[in-house]
Amino acid sequence: MNKKDEKLMNKFLKNITFITISSFLILSPFKNVKADNFNDETEDNYSYISIKRFDKPIDVLDVKTVEDNLKVSNSLTRMTNHQLNEVINYVADNDSGISTYASYNLNNALKIAWKAAAQIAINNGYPLASTLVISSVDDIDYYEQNGAFSQAIKRTNVYKRIQSGSGSDKFTPSDSKNLYYVIHAFDYHNSKTNRLSISGTFDFSLNTDYQNMFSTLVNNWGYLNQKKEVLKPIIVNIEMEK
């Protein structure tokens, strides 16, 4: 074999090696993918990837993974109040069945039920309060900068009296029911850079007024009211330009 042929052969072998390695790297992550129709209860969540769409209320009973939870959460925003109440009813009616399967499945289903309740509140004109319920379900502190909360606060009389210094104050129902339900009492601080910061704690279990509002919107409030353990107290921080 002359040098020219040898160079061509080496180039060919390098290309074959590159293609083989690339194919392995691309395909290997999918070796454990299984359709949910073939998933048995012995498989772990790591090897389980659902292909289910989760767009019907009854699908809440099939939530098994974080990915499933996200799919259902997205579907809730497209459901009617009747469908959202159905989601809650399915969880309530199958509580014991979900529990015997696995405790984390019950926890996931309960979180979806609470998010369905929050979406009902959003649909009925309480977007701010419901935003914090969803953050509470996910156990994530809420931070906002010049957003929806800031706009709502600027429309209240409270905003006019907290324009300087630092201190504490509170919202009343006459200021804004949305803000009263979720923040109520808070601390504030005005910076030298013309910014106002408001901080407080959202704890649904202590907010009886907000619970009363939910009881008028959610058909199966009796069940959810007994399942408040999935809601966690969260810190709320709101910053705005004055």
Side-chain angles (χ1 to χ4, degrees), residues 66-191:
V66 173
E67 181 198 23
D68 294 347
N69 194 306
L70 291 173
K71 285 183 179 180
V72 179
S73 296
N74 289 332
S75 294
L76 296 179
T77 62
R78 300 186 294 273
M79 291 185 184
T80 64
N81 286 348
H82 175 73
Q83 290 173 313
L84 293 165
N85 273 304
E86 279 190 330
V87 169
I88 299 168
N89 290 338
Y90 277 123
V91 176
D93 293 344
N94 293 274
D95 185 286
S96 58
I98 300 172
S99 300
T100 56
Y101 177 74
S103 59
Y104 61 80
N105 279 359
L106 175 61
N107 194 54
N108 276 333
L110 283 173
K111 287 182 176 181
I112 294 301
W114 270 105
K115 288 183 178 181
Q119 186 61 46
I120 292 173
I122 289 174
N123 295 347
N124 284 273
Y126 296 94
L128 303 183
S130 300
T131 295
L132 295 192
V133 169
I134 293 171
S135 291
S136 177
V137 170
D138 292 331
D139 195 14
I140 298 175
D141 291 339
Y142 183 82
Y143 172 77
E144 176 194 286
Q145 189 174 45
N146 297 317
F149 276 88
S150 302
Q151 294 171 16
I153 290 170
K154 288 182 177 180
R155 292 194 292 266
T156 67
N157 290 325
V158 176
Y159 177 70
K160 298 175 183 177
R161 63 176 182 256
I162 58 173
Q163 289 294 296
S164 61
S166 301
S168 60
D169 211 314
K170 61 183 180 181
F171 295 106
T172 65
S174 60
D175 291 313
S176 166
K177 286 187 177 180
N178 245 311
L179 294 171
Y180 171 74
Y181 283 142
V182 293
I183 301 177
H184 194 41
F186 61 89
D187 296 321
Y188 68 90
H189 172 72
N190 287 273
S191 70

Side-chain angles (χ1 to χ4, degrees), residues 47-58:
S47 62
Y48 171 78
I49 298 179
S50 175
I51 61 172
K52 196 175 184 69
R53 292 180 58 185
F54 292 95
D55 54 0
K56 298 185 294 295
I58 197 172

